[in-house]
Amino acid sequence: YLHSICMKDSKHITVVIADDHPMLLRGLNDELTEKGYHVLGQAENGIRALQLIIEHQPMVALIDIDMPVLKGLEVIKKAKLKTSSTRFILLSFHRETTYVIQAKTLSIDGYLLKEDSFDEIEKCIHAVINGEQYFSNSFKGMEMTSANKELRMLRNLTPSERKILKLIAKSYSSQEMADSLYVSIRTIEKHRSNIISKLQVNPSTHSLTHWALENKDIILNFHT
């Protein structure tokens, strides 16, 4: 698979790695170093990971999703504001669709499961270096299809509907939304009805609110 990587071989690829499990961190560091990658730093918490990424501007950052102090997704969000060239790969035990959607919403370059082999980690690194998005082959087609379907539905919302959905996710009442957006309650309710229809949410009372709270991270990070 490496023959397609014409622009850079492993010894030119700089990497920062972050994982709160010392043995996993050490193992990943040893594998990368043995294969010739240039590991610039290791972190066992999110704050340290963010510092290393900003300081070293690595080509690739491999970040554990469940980091202490600052979660992996937060590290990536903050780092993206400080570095334009680093490619981000999430490492996770989570294979649920919600996490896949969050990764896609934040335009994260790669998403690997911790059960994946080092060969797959290498494939992912080289894919993202070449500007491709890479998700673990361990994901079933159904999981990816479901994630893509939910993203399509969110993209079908109008800017006004997305704004209201974000306020619902922040637990605003209809009256509070009407006041903050300078519109009538009736307008808010009409938007809610349209959102329920487009997202195919159960139309029963409070169902949209429950859905929005369950998917809060996705909604608040979503952008077109």
Side-chain angles (χ1 to χ4, degrees):
Y1 57 88
L2 294 182
H3 64 271
S4 64
I5 317 306
C6 54
M7 52 185 257
K8 295 180 177 70
D9 57 36
S10 61
K11 71 176 181 289
H12 297 302
I13 297 176
T14 55
V15 185
V16 161
I17 53 177
D19 197 304
D20 66 330
H21 295 89
M23 286 182 65
L24 290 176
L25 188 63
R26 195 178 309 120
L28 187 54
N29 175 72
D30 291 349
E31 287 271 20
L32 287 166
T33 303
E34 188 180 315
K35 290 293 175 106
Y37 294 90
H38 188 188
V39 179
L40 300 174
Q42 306 172 50
E44 291 187 18
N45 66 67
I47 291 292
R48 182 61 183 146
L50 183 60
Q51 289 170 341
L52 287 172
I53 292 164
I54 293 169
E55 179 185 346
H56 294 295
Q57 303 278 313
M59 293 167 67
V60 178
L62 290 149
I63 309 290
D64 180 11
I65 199 170
D66 291 319
M67 298 287 284
V69 188
L70 198 63
K71 295 288 186 186
L73 289 167
E74 288 299 317
V75 171
I76 293 172
K77 274 197 288 185
K78 291 179 184 297
K80 275 175 172 278
L81 299 174
K82 303 284 186 180
T83 172
S84 58
S85 58
T86 298
R87 307 289 186 180
F88 295 98
I89 298 170
L90 270 178
L91 302 172
S92 178
F93 286 118
H94 302 290
R95 60 193 311 140
E96 297 91 334
T97 304
T98 305
Y99 289 94
V100 177
I101 296 171
Q102 283 189 64
K104 284 178 169 282
T105 296
L106 287 172
S107 299
I108 290 168
D109 303 286
Y111 190 119
L112 294 172
L113 295 174
K114 291 192 177 183
E115 66 197 50
D116 290 333
S117 66
F118 188 75
D119 279 350
E120 181 142 26
I121 292 172
E122 274 206 293
K123 286 180 186 177
C124 183
I125 288 172
H126 286 281
V128 303
I129 286 289
N130 284 334
E132 300 165 26
Q133 195 176 49
Y134 188 103
F135 281 76
S136 170
N137 285 325
S138 299
F139 285 115
K140 298 179 177 65
M142 190 168 62
E143 292 164 334
M144 297 303 291
T145 301
S146 176
N148 290 333
K149 180 185 174 187
E150 289 206 32
L151 278 173
R152 273 199 307 275
M153 290 192 295
L154 283 169
R155 290 191 180 109
N156 282 338
L157 299 179
T158 66
S160 294
E161 289 163 354
R162 280 197 290 273
K163 190 181 291 182
I164 284 167
L165 186 59
K166 287 183 178 185
L167 292 177
I168 294 170
K170 291 177 180 177
S171 300
Y172 276 57
S173 68
S174 291
Q175 185 62 63
E176 287 169 334
M177 285 188 275
D179 291 343
S180 67
L181 298 174
Y182 303 104
V183 297
S184 67
I185 289 266
R186 187 176 175 184
T187 299
I188 296 295
E189 293 305 328
K190 188 172 188 301
H191 280 309
R192 286 182 75 112
S193 177
N194 289 338
I195 294 167
I196 285 170
S197 175
K198 289 181 180 181
L199 296 182
Q200 300 174 18
V201 177
N202 189 311
S204 61
T205 310
H206 305 308
S207 60
L208 179 59
T209 301
H210 291 317
W211 186 91
L213 292 174
E214 284 175 5
N215 294 281
K216 183 176 180 177
D217 289 336
I218 296 168
I219 293 164
L220 296 183
N221 289 317
F222 183 80
H223 57 86
T224 51

PDB file of all heavy atoms in Angstrom, residues 119-154:
ATOM      1  N   ASP A 119      -0.476  -1.961  10.757  1.00  0.00           N
ATOM      2  CA  ASP A 119      -0.551  -1.803   9.301  1.00  0.00           C
ATOM      3  C   ASP A 119      -1.653  -0.817   8.924  1.00  0.00           C
ATOM      4  O   ASP A 119      -1.475   0.020   8.042  1.00  0.00           O
ATOM      5  CB  ASP A 119      -0.834  -3.154   8.625  1.00  0.00           C
ATOM      6  CG  ASP A 119       0.425  -3.995   8.466  1.00  0.00           C
ATOM      7  OD1 ASP A 119       1.526  -3.452   8.711  1.00  0.00           O
ATOM      8  OD2 ASP A 119       0.310  -5.176   8.110  1.00  0.00           O
ATOM      9  N   GLU A 120      -2.799  -0.936   9.615  1.00  0.00           N
ATOM     10  CA  GLU A 120      -3.899  -0.023   9.300  1.00  0.00           C
ATOM     11  C   GLU A 120      -3.580   1.400   9.762  1.00  0.00           C
ATOM     12  O   GLU A 120      -3.951   2.371   9.108  1.00  0.00           O
ATOM     13  CB  GLU A 120      -5.219  -0.496   9.920  1.00  0.00           C
ATOM     14  CG  GLU A 120      -6.358   0.444   9.570  1.00  0.00           C
ATOM     15  CD  GLU A 120      -7.682  -0.244   9.308  1.00  0.00           C
ATOM     16  OE1 GLU A 120      -7.899  -1.346   9.846  1.00  0.00           O
ATOM     17  OE2 GLU A 120      -8.503   0.331   8.582  1.00  0.00           O
ATOM     18  N   ILE A 121      -2.879   1.527  10.888  1.00  0.00           N
ATOM     19  CA  ILE A 121      -2.459   2.861  11.344  1.00  0.00           C
ATOM     20  C   ILE A 121      -1.573   3.501  10.277  1.00  0.00           C
ATOM     21  O   ILE A 121      -1.736   4.679   9.934  1.00  0.00           O
ATOM     22  CB  ILE A 121      -1.704   2.772  12.694  1.00  0.00           C
ATOM     23  CG1 ILE A 121      -2.664   2.334  13.809  1.00  0.00           C
ATOM     24  CG2 ILE A 121      -1.059   4.117  13.047  1.00  0.00           C
ATOM     25  CD1 ILE A 121      -1.987   2.042  15.136  1.00  0.00           C
ATOM     26  N   GLU A 122      -0.658   2.720   9.713  1.00  0.00           N
ATOM     27  CA  GLU A 122       0.213   3.247   8.654  1.00  0.00           C
ATOM     28  C   GLU A 122      -0.591   3.652   7.424  1.00  0.00           C
ATOM     29  O   GLU A 122      -0.335   4.701   6.821  1.00  0.00           O
ATOM     30  CB  GLU A 122       1.257   2.209   8.264  1.00  0.00           C
ATOM     31  CG  GLU A 122       2.498   2.236   9.144  1.00  0.00           C
ATOM     32  CD  GLU A 122       3.710   1.699   8.420  1.00  0.00           C
ATOM     33  OE1 GLU A 122       3.734   0.493   8.126  1.00  0.00           O
ATOM     34  OE2 GLU A 122       4.625   2.488   8.141  1.00  0.00           O
ATOM     35  N   LYS A 123      -1.528   2.818   7.037  1.00  0.00           N
ATOM     36  CA  LYS A 123      -2.370   3.156   5.880  1.00  0.00           C
ATOM     37  C   LYS A 123      -3.085   4.481   6.117  1.00  0.00           C
ATOM     38  O   LYS A 123      -3.176   5.331   5.234  1.00  0.00           O
ATOM     39  CB  LYS A 123      -3.410   2.049   5.637  1.00  0.00           C
ATOM     40  CG  LYS A 123      -2.850   0.786   5.035  1.00  0.00           C
ATOM     41  CD  LYS A 123      -3.971  -0.237   4.836  1.00  0.00           C
ATOM     42  CE  LYS A 123      -3.436  -1.568   4.361  1.00  0.00           C
ATOM     43  NZ  LYS A 123      -4.496  -2.589   4.241  1.00  0.00           N
ATOM     44  N   CYS A 124      -3.600   4.633   7.347  1.00  0.00           N
ATOM     45  CA  CYS A 124      -4.329   5.847   7.705  1.00  0.00           C
ATOM     46  C   CYS A 124      -3.409   7.067   7.649  1.00  0.00           C
ATOM     47  O   CYS A 124      -3.758   8.106   7.089  1.00  0.00           O
ATOM     48  CB  CYS A 124      -4.949   5.689   9.091  1.00  0.00           C
ATOM     49  SG  CYS A 124      -5.949   7.097   9.608  1.00  0.00           S
ATOM     50  N   ILE A 125      -2.212   6.943   8.228  1.00  0.00           N
ATOM     51  CA  ILE A 125      -1.264   8.065   8.243  1.00  0.00           C
ATOM     52  C   ILE A 125      -0.953   8.525   6.821  1.00  0.00           C
ATOM     53  O   ILE A 125      -1.017   9.712   6.498  1.00  0.00           O
ATOM     54  CB  ILE A 125       0.045   7.670   8.976  1.00  0.00           C
ATOM     55  CG1 ILE A 125      -0.208   7.554  10.486  1.00  0.00           C
ATOM     56  CG2 ILE A 125       1.152   8.699   8.703  1.00  0.00           C
ATOM     57  CD1 ILE A 125       0.967   6.981  11.272  1.00  0.00           C
ATOM     58  N   HIS A 126      -0.649   7.575   5.958  1.00  0.00           N
ATOM     59  CA  HIS A 126      -0.286   7.946   4.590  1.00  0.00           C
ATOM     60  C   HIS A 126      -1.479   8.473   3.801  1.00  0.00           C
ATOM     61  O   HIS A 126      -1.325   9.362   2.958  1.00  0.00           O
ATOM     62  CB  HIS A 126       0.375   6.757   3.890  1.00  0.00           C
ATOM     63  CG  HIS A 126       1.774   6.504   4.376  1.00  0.00           C
ATOM     64  ND1 HIS A 126       2.850   7.243   3.960  1.00  0.00           N
ATOM     65  CD2 HIS A 126       2.260   5.621   5.288  1.00  0.00           C
ATOM     66  CE1 HIS A 126       3.947   6.818   4.570  1.00  0.00           C
ATOM     67  NE2 HIS A 126       3.612   5.838   5.390  1.00  0.00           N
ATOM     68  N   ALA A 127      -2.656   7.950   4.101  1.00  0.00           N
ATOM     69  CA  ALA A 127      -3.858   8.457   3.424  1.00  0.00           C
ATOM     70  C   ALA A 127      -4.110   9.915   3.794  1.00  0.00           C
ATOM     71  O   ALA A 127      -4.347  10.765   2.917  1.00  0.00           O
ATOM     72  CB  ALA A 127      -5.073   7.604   3.784  1.00  0.00           C
ATOM     73  N   VAL A 128      -4.042  10.225   5.090  1.00  0.00           N
ATOM     74  CA  VAL A 128      -4.344  11.600   5.510  1.00  0.00           C
ATOM     75  C   VAL A 128      -3.252  12.571   5.061  1.00  0.00           C
ATOM     76  O   VAL A 128      -3.528  13.728   4.739  1.00  0.00           O
ATOM     77  CB  VAL A 128      -4.613  11.721   7.031  1.00  0.00           C
ATOM     78  CG1 VAL A 128      -5.753  10.807   7.446  1.00  0.00           C
ATOM     79  CG2 VAL A 128      -3.371  11.469   7.867  1.00  0.00           C
ATOM     80  N   ILE A 129      -2.000  12.101   5.015  1.00  0.00           N
ATOM     81  CA  ILE A 129      -0.906  12.934   4.498  1.00  0.00           C
ATOM     82  C   ILE A 129      -1.196  13.329   3.050  1.00  0.00           C
ATOM     83  O   ILE A 129      -0.880  14.427   2.596  1.00  0.00           O
ATOM     84  CB  ILE A 129       0.445  12.170   4.589  1.00  0.00           C
ATOM     85  CG1 ILE A 129       0.932  12.118   6.034  1.00  0.00           C
ATOM     86  CG2 ILE A 129       1.504  12.809   3.688  1.00  0.00           C
ATOM     87  CD1 ILE A 129       1.426  13.432   6.589  1.00  0.00           C
ATOM     88  N   ASN A 130      -1.826  12.417   2.310  1.00  0.00           N
ATOM     89  CA  ASN A 130      -2.167  12.676   0.910  1.00  0.00           C
ATOM     90  C   ASN A 130      -3.505  13.376   0.745  1.00  0.00           C
ATOM     91  O   ASN A 130      -4.040  13.455  -0.362  1.00  0.00           O
ATOM     92  CB  ASN A 130      -2.168  11.356   0.123  1.00  0.00           C
ATOM     93  CG  ASN A 130      -0.762  10.878  -0.177  1.00  0.00           C
ATOM     94  OD1 ASN A 130       0.170  11.679  -0.254  1.00  0.00           O
ATOM     95  ND2 ASN A 130      -0.589   9.577  -0.325  1.00  0.00           N
ATOM     96  N   GLY A 131      -4.053  13.878   1.865  1.00  0.00           N
ATOM     97  CA  GLY A 131      -5.271  14.679   1.779  1.00  0.00           C
ATOM     98  C   GLY A 131      -6.568  13.891   1.738  1.00  0.00           C
ATOM     99  O   GLY A 131      -7.633  14.447   1.450  1.00  0.00           O
ATOM    100  N   GLU A 132      -6.500  12.593   2.035  1.00  0.00           N
ATOM    101  CA  GLU A 132      -7.711  11.767   2.035  1.00  0.00           C
ATOM    102  C   GLU A 132      -8.252  11.643   3.464  1.00  0.00           C
ATOM    103  O   GLU A 132      -7.508  11.798   4.430  1.00  0.00           O
ATOM    104  CB  GLU A 132      -7.393  10.364   1.500  1.00  0.00           C
ATOM    105  CG  GLU A 132      -6.841  10.341   0.085  1.00  0.00           C
ATOM    106  CD  GLU A 132      -6.203   9.010  -0.260  1.00  0.00           C
ATOM    107  OE1 GLU A 132      -6.602   7.984   0.356  1.00  0.00           O
ATOM    108  OE2 GLU A 132      -5.289   8.983  -1.111  1.00  0.00           O
ATOM    109  N   GLN A 133      -9.554  11.351   3.570  1.00  0.00           N
ATOM    110  CA  GLN A 133     -10.142  11.058   4.879  1.00  0.00           C
ATOM    111  C   GLN A 133     -10.190   9.542   5.021  1.00  0.00           C
ATOM    112  O   GLN A 133     -10.569   8.840   4.076  1.00  0.00           O
ATOM    113  CB  GLN A 133     -11.540  11.660   4.998  1.00  0.00           C
ATOM    114  CG  GLN A 133     -12.060  11.703   6.429  1.00  0.00           C
ATOM    115  CD  GLN A 133     -13.414  12.397   6.540  1.00  0.00           C
ATOM    116  OE1 GLN A 133     -14.336  12.096   5.802  1.00  0.00           O
ATOM    117  NE2 GLN A 133     -13.524  13.332   7.462  1.00  0.00           N
ATOM    118  N   TYR A 134      -9.769   9.032   6.194  1.00  0.00           N
ATOM    119  CA  TYR A 134      -9.650   7.584   6.367  1.00  0.00           C
ATOM    120  C   TYR A 134     -10.356   7.151   7.646  1.00  0.00           C
ATOM    121  O   TYR A 134     -10.029   7.612   8.732  1.00  0.00           O
ATOM    122  CB  TYR A 134      -8.169   7.196   6.431  1.00  0.00           C
ATOM    123  CG  TYR A 134      -7.909   5.702   6.409  1.00  0.00           C
ATOM    124  CD1 TYR A 134      -7.458   5.072   5.255  1.00  0.00           C
ATOM    125  CD2 TYR A 134      -8.091   4.913   7.549  1.00  0.00           C
ATOM    126  CE1 TYR A 134      -7.196   3.701   5.232  1.00  0.00           C
ATOM    127  CE2 TYR A 134      -7.846   3.558   7.538  1.00  0.00           C
ATOM    128  CZ  TYR A 134      -7.392   2.952   6.372  1.00  0.00           C
ATOM    129  OH  TYR A 134      -7.153   1.600   6.354  1.00  0.00           O
ATOM    130  N   PHE A 135     -11.318   6.248   7.487  1.00  0.00           N
ATOM    131  CA  PHE A 135     -12.003   5.660   8.642  1.00  0.00           C
ATOM    132  C   PHE A 135     -11.687   4.175   8.700  1.00  0.00           C
ATOM    133  O   PHE A 135     -11.583   3.513   7.669  1.00  0.00           O
ATOM    134  CB  PHE A 135     -13.518   5.879   8.537  1.00  0.00           C
ATOM    135  CG  PHE A 135     -13.942   7.257   8.945  1.00  0.00           C
ATOM    136  CD1 PHE A 135     -13.743   8.341   8.100  1.00  0.00           C
ATOM    137  CD2 PHE A 135     -14.515   7.493  10.191  1.00  0.00           C
ATOM    138  CE1 PHE A 135     -14.104   9.620   8.477  1.00  0.00           C
ATOM    139  CE2 PHE A 135     -14.882   8.772  10.579  1.00  0.00           C
ATOM    140  CZ  PHE A 135     -14.677   9.838   9.716  1.00  0.00           C
ATOM    141  N   SER A 136     -11.522   3.669   9.915  1.00  0.00           N
ATOM    142  CA  SER A 136     -11.129   2.281  10.139  1.00  0.00           C
ATOM    143  C   SER A 136     -11.946   1.296   9.306  1.00  0.00           C
ATOM    144  O   SER A 136     -13.162   1.424   9.175  1.00  0.00           O
ATOM    145  CB  SER A 136     -11.307   1.937  11.625  1.00  0.00           C
ATOM    146  OG  SER A 136     -11.146   0.546  11.830  1.00  0.00           O
ATOM    147  N   ASN A 137     -11.259   0.305   8.769  1.00  0.00           N
ATOM    148  CA  ASN A 137     -11.949  -0.753   8.029  1.00  0.00           C
ATOM    149  C   ASN A 137     -12.798  -1.624   8.946  1.00  0.00           C
ATOM    150  O   ASN A 137     -13.593  -2.437   8.474  1.00  0.00           O
ATOM    151  CB  ASN A 137     -10.929  -1.632   7.292  1.00  0.00           C
ATOM    152  CG  ASN A 137     -10.365  -0.928   6.070  1.00  0.00           C
ATOM    153  OD1 ASN A 137     -11.066  -0.185   5.398  1.00  0.00           O
ATOM    154  ND2 ASN A 137      -9.089  -1.138   5.792  1.00  0.00           N
ATOM    155  N   SER A 138     -12.610  -1.461  10.268  1.00  0.00           N
ATOM    156  CA  SER A 138     -13.410  -2.236  11.226  1.00  0.00           C
ATOM    157  C   SER A 138     -14.865  -1.764  11.248  1.00  0.00           C
ATOM    158  O   SER A 138     -15.737  -2.481  11.725  1.00  0.00           O
ATOM    159  CB  SER A 138     -12.824  -2.104  12.637  1.00  0.00           C
ATOM    160  OG  SER A 138     -11.510  -2.594  12.678  1.00  0.00           O
ATOM    161  N   PHE A 139     -15.097  -0.526  10.769  1.00  0.00           N
ATOM    162  CA  PHE A 139     -16.480  -0.048  10.717  1.00  0.00           C
ATOM    163  C   PHE A 139     -17.227  -0.801   9.640  1.00  0.00           C
ATOM    164  O   PHE A 139     -16.736  -0.954   8.516  1.00  0.00           O
ATOM    165  CB  PHE A 139     -16.536   1.455  10.406  1.00  0.00           C
ATOM    166  CG  PHE A 139     -16.150   2.321  11.559  1.00  0.00           C
ATOM    167  CD1 PHE A 139     -15.010   3.109  11.492  1.00  0.00           C
ATOM    168  CD2 PHE A 139     -16.906   2.348  12.720  1.00  0.00           C
ATOM    169  CE1 PHE A 139     -14.632   3.908  12.559  1.00  0.00           C
ATOM    170  CE2 PHE A 139     -16.537   3.142  13.791  1.00  0.00           C
ATOM    171  CZ  PHE A 139     -15.397   3.920  13.707  1.00  0.00           C
ATOM    172  N   LYS A 140     -18.421  -1.245   9.979  1.00  0.00           N
ATOM    173  CA  LYS A 140     -19.259  -1.927   9.003  1.00  0.00           C
ATOM    174  C   LYS A 140     -19.867  -0.880   8.073  1.00  0.00           C
ATOM    175  O   LYS A 140     -20.076   0.268   8.456  1.00  0.00           O
ATOM    176  CB  LYS A 140     -20.358  -2.724   9.702  1.00  0.00           C
ATOM    177  CG  LYS A 140     -19.833  -3.827  10.604  1.00  0.00           C
ATOM    178  CD  LYS A 140     -20.971  -4.570  11.277  1.00  0.00           C
ATOM    179  CE  LYS A 140     -20.426  -5.713  12.128  1.00  0.00           C
ATOM    180  NZ  LYS A 140     -19.604  -5.252  13.255  1.00  0.00           N
ATOM    181  N   GLY A 141     -20.171  -1.296   6.876  1.00  0.00           N
ATOM    182  CA  GLY A 141     -20.776  -0.386   5.903  1.00  0.00           C
ATOM    183  C   GLY A 141     -22.040   0.253   6.431  1.00  0.00           C
ATOM    184  O   GLY A 141     -22.328   1.427   6.166  1.00  0.00           O
ATOM    185  N   MET A 142     -22.802  -0.511   7.226  1.00  0.00           N
ATOM    186  CA  MET A 142     -24.064  -0.007   7.756  1.00  0.00           C
ATOM    187  C   MET A 142     -23.829   1.180   8.693  1.00  0.00           C
ATOM    188  O   MET A 142     -24.572   2.150   8.691  1.00  0.00           O
ATOM    189  CB  MET A 142     -24.795  -1.126   8.506  1.00  0.00           C
ATOM    190  CG  MET A 142     -26.227  -0.802   8.896  1.00  0.00           C
ATOM    191  SD  MET A 142     -27.104  -2.285   9.462  1.00  0.00           S
ATOM    192  CE  MET A 142     -26.156  -2.761  10.894  1.00  0.00           C
ATOM    193  N   GLU A 143     -22.766   1.095   9.512  1.00  0.00           N
ATOM    194  CA  GLU A 143     -22.455   2.183  10.450  1.00  0.00           C
ATOM    195  C   GLU A 143     -22.102   3.459   9.693  1.00  0.00           C
ATOM    196  O   GLU A 143     -22.554   4.552  10.039  1.00  0.00           O
ATOM    197  CB  GLU A 143     -21.293   1.772  11.360  1.00  0.00           C
ATOM    198  CG  GLU A 143     -21.651   0.655  12.337  1.00  0.00           C
ATOM    199  CD  GLU A 143     -20.426  -0.011  12.948  1.00  0.00           C
ATOM    200  OE1 GLU A 143     -19.342   0.008  12.311  1.00  0.00           O
ATOM    201  OE2 GLU A 143     -20.548  -0.555  14.052  1.00  0.00           O
ATOM    202  N   MET A 144     -21.287   3.334   8.653  1.00  0.00           N
ATOM    203  CA  MET A 144     -20.888   4.501   7.868  1.00  0.00           C
ATOM    204  C   MET A 144     -22.074   5.068   7.091  1.00  0.00           C
ATOM    205  O   MET A 144     -22.245   6.286   6.991  1.00  0.00           O
ATOM    206  CB  MET A 144     -19.759   4.125   6.899  1.00  0.00           C
ATOM    207  CG  MET A 144     -18.489   3.670   7.584  1.00  0.00           C
ATOM    208  SD  MET A 144     -17.804   4.883   8.755  1.00  0.00           S
ATOM    209  CE  MET A 144     -17.269   6.150   7.624  1.00  0.00           C
ATOM    210  N   THR A 145     -22.921   4.185   6.554  1.00  0.00           N
ATOM    211  CA  THR A 145     -24.105   4.635   5.815  1.00  0.00           C
ATOM    212  C   THR A 145     -25.037   5.405   6.731  1.00  0.00           C
ATOM    213  O   THR A 145     -25.568   6.457   6.357  1.00  0.00           O
ATOM    214  CB  THR A 145     -24.859   3.420   5.211  1.00  0.00           C
ATOM    215  OG1 THR A 145     -23.974   2.731   4.336  1.00  0.00           O
ATOM    216  CG2 THR A 145     -26.086   3.879   4.437  1.00  0.00           C
ATOM    217  N   SER A 146     -25.223   4.896   7.958  1.00  0.00           N
ATOM    218  CA  SER A 146     -26.095   5.560   8.930  1.00  0.00           C
ATOM    219  C   SER A 146     -25.555   6.937   9.297  1.00  0.00           C
ATOM    220  O   SER A 146     -26.287   7.921   9.369  1.00  0.00           O
ATOM    221  CB  SER A 146     -26.221   4.696  10.184  1.00  0.00           C
ATOM    222  OG  SER A 146     -26.967   5.345  11.177  1.00  0.00           O
ATOM    223  N   ALA A 147     -24.234   7.027   9.515  1.00  0.00           N
ATOM    224  CA  ALA A 147     -23.606   8.303   9.858  1.00  0.00           C
ATOM    225  C   ALA A 147     -23.768   9.304   8.715  1.00  0.00           C
ATOM    226  O   ALA A 147     -24.114  10.475   8.933  1.00  0.00           O
ATOM    227  CB  ALA A 147     -22.127   8.093  10.169  1.00  0.00           C
ATOM    228  N   ASN A 148     -23.540   8.848   7.494  1.00  0.00           N
ATOM    229  CA  ASN A 148     -23.656   9.734   6.333  1.00  0.00           C
ATOM    230  C   ASN A 148     -25.089  10.206   6.122  1.00  0.00           C
ATOM    231  O   ASN A 148     -25.331  11.354   5.737  1.00  0.00           O
ATOM    232  CB  ASN A 148     -23.143   9.034   5.071  1.00  0.00           C
ATOM    233  CG  ASN A 148     -21.645   8.838   5.086  1.00  0.00           C
ATOM    234  OD1 ASN A 148     -20.925   9.604   5.724  1.00  0.00           O
ATOM    235  ND2 ASN A 148     -21.167   7.807   4.416  1.00  0.00           N
ATOM    236  N   LYS A 149     -26.055   9.317   6.427  1.00  0.00           N
ATOM    237  CA  LYS A 149     -27.468   9.685   6.290  1.00  0.00           C
ATOM    238  C   LYS A 149     -27.830  10.792   7.278  1.00  0.00           C
ATOM    239  O   LYS A 149     -28.497  11.772   6.920  1.00  0.00           O
ATOM    240  CB  LYS A 149     -28.355   8.456   6.528  1.00  0.00           C
ATOM    241  CG  LYS A 149     -29.855   8.754   6.392  1.00  0.00           C
ATOM    242  CD  LYS A 149     -30.693   7.539   6.765  1.00  0.00           C
ATOM    243  CE  LYS A 149     -32.172   7.886   6.768  1.00  0.00           C
ATOM    244  NZ  LYS A 149     -33.003   6.786   7.289  1.00  0.00           N
ATOM    245  N   GLU A 150     -27.384  10.648   8.543  1.00  0.00           N
ATOM    246  CA  GLU A 150     -27.692  11.674   9.547  1.00  0.00           C
ATOM    247  C   GLU A 150     -27.055  13.006   9.183  1.00  0.00           C
ATOM    248  O   GLU A 150     -27.655  14.067   9.368  1.00  0.00           O
ATOM    249  CB  GLU A 150     -27.227  11.210  10.933  1.00  0.00           C
ATOM    250  CG  GLU A 150     -28.081  10.080  11.491  1.00  0.00           C
ATOM    251  CD  GLU A 150     -28.063  10.041  13.008  1.00  0.00           C
ATOM    252  OE1 GLU A 150     -27.952  11.113  13.633  1.00  0.00           O
ATOM    253  OE2 GLU A 150     -28.156   8.943  13.559  1.00  0.00           O
ATOM    254  N   LEU A 151     -25.843  12.976   8.659  1.00  0.00           N
ATOM    255  CA  LEU A 151     -25.179  14.219   8.249  1.00  0.00           C
ATOM    256  C   LEU A 151     -25.923  14.875   7.091  1.00  0.00           C
ATOM    257  O   LEU A 151     -26.073  16.098   7.054  1.00  0.00           O
ATOM    258  CB  LEU A 151     -23.731  13.943   7.841  1.00  0.00           C
ATOM    259  CG  LEU A 151     -22.728  13.849   8.984  1.00  0.00           C
ATOM    260  CD1 LEU A 151     -21.373  13.415   8.461  1.00  0.00           C
ATOM    261  CD2 LEU A 151     -22.598  15.176   9.709  1.00  0.00           C
ATOM    262  N   ARG A 152     -26.388  14.060   6.148  1.00  0.00           N
ATOM    263  CA  ARG A 152     -27.158  14.605   5.018  1.00  0.00           C
ATOM    264  C   ARG A 152     -28.415  15.295   5.511  1.00  0.00           C
ATOM    265  O   ARG A 152     -28.788  16.366   5.020  1.00  0.00           O
ATOM    266  CB  ARG A 152     -27.524  13.488   4.032  1.00  0.00           C
ATOM    267  CG  ARG A 152     -26.471  13.215   2.981  1.00  0.00           C
ATOM    268  CD  ARG A 152     -27.046  12.462   1.792  1.00  0.00           C
ATOM    269  NE  ARG A 152     -27.749  11.254   2.174  1.00  0.00           N
ATOM    270  CZ  ARG A 152     -27.173  10.089   2.372  1.00  0.00           C
ATOM    271  NH1 ARG A 152     -25.862   9.973   2.262  1.00  0.00           N
ATOM    272  NH2 ARG A 152     -27.879   9.030   2.701  1.00  0.00           N
ATOM    273  N   MET A 153     -29.092  14.685   6.499  1.00  0.00           N
ATOM    274  CA  MET A 153     -30.319  15.283   7.025  1.00  0.00           C
ATOM    275  C   MET A 153     -30.024  16.618   7.704  1.00  0.00           C
ATOM    276  O   MET A 153     -30.772  17.590   7.555  1.00  0.00           O
ATOM    277  CB  MET A 153     -31.020  14.317   7.989  1.00  0.00           C
ATOM    278  CG  MET A 153     -31.633  13.116   7.275  1.00  0.00           C
ATOM    279  SD  MET A 153     -32.771  12.135   8.302  1.00  0.00           S
ATOM    280  CE  MET A 153     -31.685  11.502   9.558  1.00  0.00           C
ATOM    281  N   LEU A 154     -28.917  16.693   8.446  1.00  0.00           N
ATOM    282  CA  LEU A 154     -28.545  17.955   9.092  1.00  0.00           C
ATOM    283  C   LEU A 154     -28.221  19.020   8.048  1.00  0.00           C
ATOM    284  O   LEU A 154     -28.559  20.191   8.208  1.00  0.00           O
ATOM    285  CB  LEU A 154     -27.342  17.738  10.018  1.00  0.00           C
ATOM    286  CG  LEU A 154     -27.630  17.065  11.363  1.00  0.00           C
ATOM    287  CD1 LEU A 154     -26.340  16.677  12.066  1.00  0.00           C
ATOM    288  CD2 LEU A 154     -28.461  17.984  12.272  1.00  0.00           C
TER     289      LEU A 154
END
